[in-house]
Amino acid sequence: MINAEAFIEVARGHGFSWYTGVPCSYLTPFINYVINDNQLSYISSANEGDAVATAAGLSLGGQSAVVMMQNSGLGNAVNPLTSLAHTFAVPVLLIVTHRGRPGERDEPQHELMGKITGNLFDLMDIPWEPFPAEEHAISAVLERATNYLAAESKPYALLMNRGTVAPHPLKSASIPSRSHAVCRRDRFDGAGGAVSREQALGEIIRHTPEDNSVVIGTTGYTGRELFAIADRSNQLYMVGSMGCASSFALGVSLARPDLEVTVVDGDGAGLMRMGNFATIGSYGRNNLAHVLLDNGVHESTGGQATVSANVGFADIAAACGYGVALDGNDPAVIRELYARKDADGARFAHLRIKPGIPGDLPRPGISPENVLRRLQAHINTPSL
């Protein structure tokens, strides 16, 4: 058994100061230690996949991050691990607890995952090894992990057994406090009806100068149209990992408070990982602008309807603690969003748009890894 301090301080020496995740009882000493230390940061994610995406965004912004979860949470994290971290080549260190370990008695829901956890890592092409159970082994384990992260820019996992870390008490407040009363909630309805995605993206581009901002477009037609309108070095086009653009953007905005970070979401993506609204509401700063373009359909897969017509996205953002929550069908929503940089927390705008795409819409002519490396160079982040 080791103390939380023994591992985390060696990890700090390797540059790890940010931790994201979903709790497991095996991880409680680690989480408590990080929260107690005001030089370390812990993001309590609503979902393990969002934790991976936030850590990936932190990594893009130049902050090494650790993702902590129990192995049952790997099911929630498979998509961002395989189609975000792998596809964009982003290094994150995973600490995963081994619930249901063969030969150990545990709850019935952990039995199958306990048997297949190692195989699942292998299938995802994620190298892994046991989490160190003795202090003398910590340095060598972290050396191997950080060498792989630096050389391959891909995730590396440590699998933690029961009783590996000694208890550590929680002494500090664990979650930032947000006052819903400070949220600015406005609606803008234009006389001309909903605008196109192209018009909305043009408005966003006009408010995101290349030298001091980052724009992240969600997967599907949003990223493709953003590329077609203006392929700028401050932009990233998400592929796969649907719904993770906002959690990724949260990580970038926390790592780089000097930059204005905009995430352009969609109604389908927002609905898929709505738990991240709560995480952004609690941890997001006013340098994060969250724009949700809502055409009411999953357009890139054939136009199947979403349930967005029945959802008050701005009301949800306000209830989750965003500093600004705007909605309507007029581009004035976006203009107001960028005018409110003095907000107390992240800013949100829900803009209803009409379905439809330009003819002959191209796909980005730059690979996901290269678009990330280009953005990394543009914002002067050291090599991942």
Side-chain angles (χ1 to χ4, degrees):
M1 182 178 289
I2 68 170
N3 291 318
E5 178 181 11
F7 183 93
I8 291 174
E9 292 305 324
V10 176
R12 194 198 306 254
H14 285 280
F16 292 102
S17 58
W18 287 85
Y19 292 75
T20 71
V22 176
C24 170
S25 58
Y26 295 10
L27 293 166
T28 299
F30 267 26
I31 296 171
N32 290 352
Y33 188 93
V34 172
I35 291 170
N36 289 342
D37 190 320
N38 59 16
Q39 299 302 310
L40 301 172
S41 298
Y42 176 69
I43 305 298
S44 178
S45 298
N47 178 287
E48 292 86 355
D50 286 326
V52 170
T54 298
L58 286 162
S59 182
L60 170 62
Q63 298 292 332
S64 297
V66 179
V67 183
M68 300 188 290
M69 68 181 79
Q70 66 176 236
N71 53 348
S72 60
L74 278 175
N76 291 327
V78 166
N79 182 254
L81 284 171
T82 57
S83 61
L84 195 167
H86 179 86
T87 302
F88 284 91
V90 184
V92 293
L93 179 61
L94 307 172
I95 299 177
V96 178
T97 61
H98 199 175
R99 302 299 302 266
R101 182 185 179 197
E104 287 187 355
R105 186 174 181 179
D106 207 329
E107 300 297 329
Q109 67 269 24
H110 298 304
E111 181 181 356
L112 178 57
M113 183 58 84
K115 293 178 182 177
I116 67 172
T117 298
N119 293 334
L120 188 54
F121 281 132
D122 293 339
L123 286 170
M124 292 190 291
D125 198 23
I126 296 176
W128 63 279
E129 63 176 294
F131 186 91
E134 299 178 340
E135 290 191 9
H136 68 80
I138 293 173
S139 293
V141 168
L142 277 171
E143 193 74 26
R144 286 191 294 272
T146 54
N147 285 344
Y148 179 87
L149 296 172
E152 303 296 332
S153 289
K154 299 285 178 67
Y156 191 93
L158 304 177
L159 191 57
M160 179 189 287
N161 292 333
R162 186 202 306 264
T164 299
V165 187
H168 189 88
L170 180 65
K171 299 177 181 178
S172 301
S174 60
I175 302 295
S177 177
R178 286 278 198 247
S179 172
H180 298 167
V182 303
C183 180
R184 170 77 177 270
R185 175 74 173 85
D186 290 318
R187 183 171 182 83
F188 297 81
D189 283 320
V195 299
S196 68
R197 185 189 293 107
E198 185 175 23
Q199 290 172 295
L201 290 174
E203 191 71 45
I204 291 168
I205 288 170
R206 283 190 286 276
H207 286 88
T208 52
E210 198 166 353
D211 60 339
N212 66 353
S213 68
V214 170
V215 180
I216 297 162
T218 190
T219 189
Y221 286 142
T222 298
R224 290 175 63 181
E225 284 200 44
L226 189 61
F227 169 80
I229 295 168
D231 179 32
R232 303 181 299 167
S233 57
N234 66 329
Q235 295 176 172
L236 183 140
Y237 318 113
M238 191 71 76
V239 295
S241 52
M242 183 173 168
C244 288
S246 63
S247 45
F248 181 82
L250 173 64
V252 179
S253 69
L254 292 173
R256 293 296 301 270
D258 57 312
L259 296 173
E260 171 86 10
V261 178
T262 296
V263 55
V264 189
D265 223 340
D267 47 307
L271 289 166
M272 180 173 282
R273 291 189 178 270
M274 195 174 285
N276 199 51
F277 279 65
T279 308
I280 292 176
S282 289
Y283 295 100
R285 302 166 180 165
N286 61 7
N287 69 321
L288 177 58
H290 185 181
V291 181
L292 192 147
L293 302 182
D294 178 5
N295 63 4
V297 296
H298 294 287
E299 193 155 33
S300 65
T301 59
Q304 302 89 352
T306 71
V307 299
S308 67
N310 300 319
V311 177
F313 286 107
D315 293 330
I316 291 168
C320 286
Y322 283 67
V324 170
L326 312 171
D327 67 350
N329 65 355
D330 191 295
V333 168
I334 293 174
R335 293 191 289 272
E336 178 67 13
L337 182 74
Y338 288 106
R340 294 306 310 273
K341 296 182 180 181
D342 60 343
D344 181 17
R347 297 167 286 141
F348 179 79
H350 171 216
L351 178 61
R352 293 196 181 275
I353 62 173
K354 57 190 177 185
I357 59 170
D360 300 320
L361 182 65
R363 295 183 182 275
I366 180 171
S367 72
E369 181 175 353
N370 285 339
V371 79
L372 185 137
R373 297 288 175 252
R374 182 181 69 178
L375 177 55
Q376 173 195 0
H378 179 72
I379 64 175
N380 296 315
T381 298
S383 296
L384 300 177

